[in-house]
Amino acid sequence: MDFAPSGDARPRPARTVDGGWFPARATSGDIAVLELGPDGPPAEARPAALFAGDGAHPAEVSVYGHPRPGLGDGVWVEVTATGRGGPNPAWRQLDGRVHGVAIQRGFSGAGVWDRGLGGVIGLVVAAYGSSVERVAWMFPLAAMAREWTPLAALLTPGEPEAPELTARQCAELARLIAAIPRFGTLGGRQDLVSLLRPEIGSAVAERPESHAHLYHVVRTSSDYKGGLDELIGAVRTLVGDSRAVRSIAAELRRFAEEGRG
């Protein structure tokens, strides 16, 4: 094994632990649980927090892989983890962006990093062979723990509740969304609300003024687990993965870090 992103790419020996080899099946790839030799990992490497990853609500995640040609040294890809899908009922679908590199050969087995939770929620297992439909799938760690049961004890119990946003933070997110031209119209905002789950959409107080309306959209979404990630996913669905959308997602991550700090 190597830990190239740590700056120390020296290969390190590892072995499969007893009972840690699960051969491939018709609807799933193989799984190997490895144990490092006496050298251990580089000093800069740290174990990641592990989460179940089998939730149903959209989550913004990152994956690091080594596609070839030209990108064999590694590249980050940002995708959205959505619901279950694929040939294995335990798999969870990963929807790619319009721009940038797609998950492809060279990402198999990569950890799926949930940016909101700050930990790994699964491993990439397959990608759809198309340059247009950027779809891939991951194997959630909860499903993997049913195969290799010692993993269950390593998973962080439950998902931490998102910190409650302040009125100022809700207003700032609303301002960023309102700056996108599509949401300056009532019809555009109604399209946005229609993409949220019914219990959120039905609770949003509609307002003729865009900022006031979007403030209620943000405030209401924040009252539901995963609601803000769902809101950002809806914005992205309507206007694409623009710089403005990435700025909104980055601001939400900053607010979450402030709340947990």
Side-chain angles (χ1 to χ4, degrees):
M1 298 178 62
D2 68 64
F3 296 79
S6 72
D8 181 352
R10 177 171 55 90
R12 286 166 164 76
R15 70 174 188 89
T16 304
V17 303
D18 293 339
W21 164 244
F22 303 89
R25 299 193 297 266
T27 58
S28 181
D30 60 321
I31 301 172
V33 182
L34 304 180
E35 180 180 53
L36 286 169
D39 288 348
E44 299 82 359
R46 296 289 184 274
L50 306 178
F51 295 91
D54 55 355
H57 300 311
E60 301 304 305
V61 300
S62 300
V63 181
Y64 190 82
H66 300 267
R68 295 181 181 273
L71 294 172
D73 290 331
V75 61
W76 283 102
V77 172
E78 294 187 353
V79 298
T80 301
T82 57
R84 293 184 179 183
N88 187 318
W91 288 8
R92 189 172 175 187
Q93 185 170 312
L94 302 173
D95 291 341
R97 305 286 188 261
V98 175
H99 304 292
V101 177
I103 292 178
Q104 57 193 272
R105 183 182 296 274
F107 284 83
S108 181
V112 179
W113 178 268
D114 186 307
R115 300 197 295 276
L117 294 175
V120 173
I121 62 172
L123 302 179
V124 174
V125 291
Y128 184 59
S130 169
S131 60
V132 179
E133 292 84 8
R134 297 183 166 213
V135 178
W137 294 271
M138 73 172 211
F139 199 41
L141 294 187
M144 195 170 300
R146 292 193 288 271
E147 302 284 345
W148 189 63
T149 54
L151 176 60
L154 303 177
L155 299 181
T156 300
E159 296 184 356
E161 294 294 328
E164 183 177 353
L165 296 185
T166 65
R168 179 191 64 79
Q169 291 169 335
C170 286
E172 177 61 16
L173 290 177
R175 183 190 68 78
L176 292 173
I177 298 173
I180 299 174
R182 175 159 188 168
F183 305 121
T185 67
L186 179 59
R189 298 192 298 276
Q190 289 172 335
D191 289 341
L192 177 62
V193 173
S194 73
L195 294 179
L196 303 176
R197 73 186 92 149
E199 57 265 39
I200 296 178
S202 62
V204 171
E206 192 169 288
R207 297 287 188 273
E209 195 276 318
S210 61
H211 187 272
H213 190 183
L214 289 166
Y215 176 88
H216 281 278
V217 173
V218 173
R219 177 82 274 172
T220 304
S221 297
S222 71
D223 290 337
Y224 293 81
K225 184 176 181 180
L228 290 171
D229 284 333
E230 189 172 328
L231 174 60
I232 293 174
V235 171
R236 183 175 283 114
T237 296
L238 291 172
V239 301
D241 189 38
S242 64
R243 178 177 297 178
V245 176
R246 291 194 292 272
S247 295
I248 295 167
E251 194 73 348
L252 178 58
R253 289 196 297 273
R254 185 174 72 82
F255 290 157
E257 289 167 1
E258 287 177 355
R260 294 183 182 122

